[in-house]
Amino acid sequence: DQQVKQNSPSLSVQEGRISILNCDYTNSMFDYFLWYKKYPAEGPTFLISISSIKDKNEDGRFTVFLNKSAKHLSLHIVPSQPGDSAVYFCANDMRFGAGTRLTVKP
Amino acid sequence: DTGVSQDPRHKITKRGQNVTFRCDPISEHNRLYWYRQTLGQGPEFLTYFQNEAQLEKSRLLSDRFSAERPKGSFSTLEIQRTEQGDSAMYLCASSPGQGEGDTQYFGPGTRLTVL
């Protein structure tokens, strides 16, 4: 069964530092992984994706790394800003992780 | 483009009652998805449509749940004989339907409380 797991429910970092959010998966059935960000009282919004043929995708302050052998991906945010405080979900097609709540302190 | 809209935003009902939620996707988006989210969890897939065809349903989806997308535009999700365990946020999303890597655009959700 396809699963996406985010084992860290929360992360707190200082403004300007790097935030690293992790995601593990089993039995990937689809070739794309996506990260979504969710603010309170809103639906998730797309942030960045990566194809399984790549090991890195960068978009401004956001970079996603994919390690297929370890079935692991991570989202790096550098530098972190207070406005990045949100819940981040990793997804593979229609399967989502439980999310990691990021808090960026000023 | 006004994005994905959902109605109502909040619904409180008594156990055993039926409820129906509506989702209006982004126009011309071929795919429409329904998810359920509970506290501390990510969106849990329920079902999705390609135009008017319901292509996949989660095996976790009770037969009390039914979804329709009659003209390939808006969709409804009905829950019959609601139970307290149905209390959750119900999210709708749509996507262009371009294949893998398709970005989903989510609505704000309908929060259901079953008393």
Side-chain angles (χ1 to χ4, degrees):
Chain A
D1 187 25
Q2 177 192 19
Q3 288 189 352
V4 176
K5 296 181 179 180
Q6 294 176 260
N7 294 318
S8 298
S10 63
L11 173 68
S12 181
V13 300
Q14 206 67 35
E15 181 179 6
R17 299 291 190 117
I18 184 172
S19 296
I20 300 177
L21 296 93
N22 294 303
C23 177
D24 297 293
Y25 63 93
T26 60
N27 303 326
S28 170
M29 294 176 61
F30 300 92
D31 290 335
Y32 277 85
F33 293 89
L34 300 92
W35 285 91
Y36 289 82
K37 178 170 69 174
K38 184 183 183 303
Y39 292 118
E42 297 180 8
T45 57
F46 170 74
L47 183 60
I48 191 170
S49 65
I50 187 167
S51 165
S52 61
I53 64 173
K54 296 185 177 181
D55 54 16
K56 175 183 176 181
N57 188 29
E58 187 173 358
D59 183 3
R61 297 185 296 112
F62 303 90
T63 302
V64 57
F65 296 91
L66 176 61
N67 183 333
K68 291 182 67 177
S69 62
K71 296 187 176 181
H72 176 84
L73 62 158
S74 60
L75 174 67
H76 293 211
I77 307 173
V78 181
S80 300
Q81 299 173 355
D84 296 329
S85 297
V87 178
Y88 290 79
F89 295 103
C90 170
N92 182 237
D93 194 54
M94 294 172 281
R95 274 65 183 176
F96 284 72
T100 297
R101 180 178 299 279
L102 173 66
T103 303
V104 181
K105 298 180 179 179
Chain B
D1 188 348
T2 58
V4 179
S5 62
Q6 293 187 245
D7 183 70
R9 295 290 305 274
H10 304 272
K11 178 69 176 179
I12 300 174
T13 191
K14 293 182 179 180
R15 187 177 55 183
Q17 297 295 305
N18 299 344
V19 294
T20 300
F21 309 143
R22 176 180 170 121
C23 171
D24 287 89
I26 293 172
S27 59
E28 298 182 357
H29 273 191
N30 295 324
R31 290 191 174 182
L32 187 147
Y33 312 78
W34 284 100
Y35 294 87
R36 175 173 61 192
Q37 185 178 17
T38 53
L39 192 63
Q41 299 299 315
E44 176 189 24
F45 169 74
L46 295 178
T47 188
Y48 94 96
F49 294 83
Q50 175 80 29
N51 298 312
E52 68 275 9
Q54 188 173 17
L55 295 188
E56 186 175 345
K57 291 174 60 175
S58 168
R59 62 175 181 269
L60 302 175
L61 197 63
S62 159
D63 59 5
R64 296 184 296 106
F65 287 70
S66 62
E68 295 182 344
R69 194 182 183 197
K71 297 182 179 180
S73 56
F74 74 92
S75 176
T76 58
L77 176 68
E78 180 182 17
I79 308 174
Q80 297 182 327
R81 306 180 303 281
T82 53
E83 302 173 355
Q84 288 185 328
D86 297 332
S87 296
M89 176 73 80
Y90 289 84
L91 293 165
C92 174
S94 69
S95 71
Q98 296 169 344
E100 291 195 34
D102 219 15
T103 299
Q104 295 181 38
Y105 297 80
F106 283 83
T110 295
R111 181 168 295 283
L112 173 65
T113 302
V114 181
L115 302 176

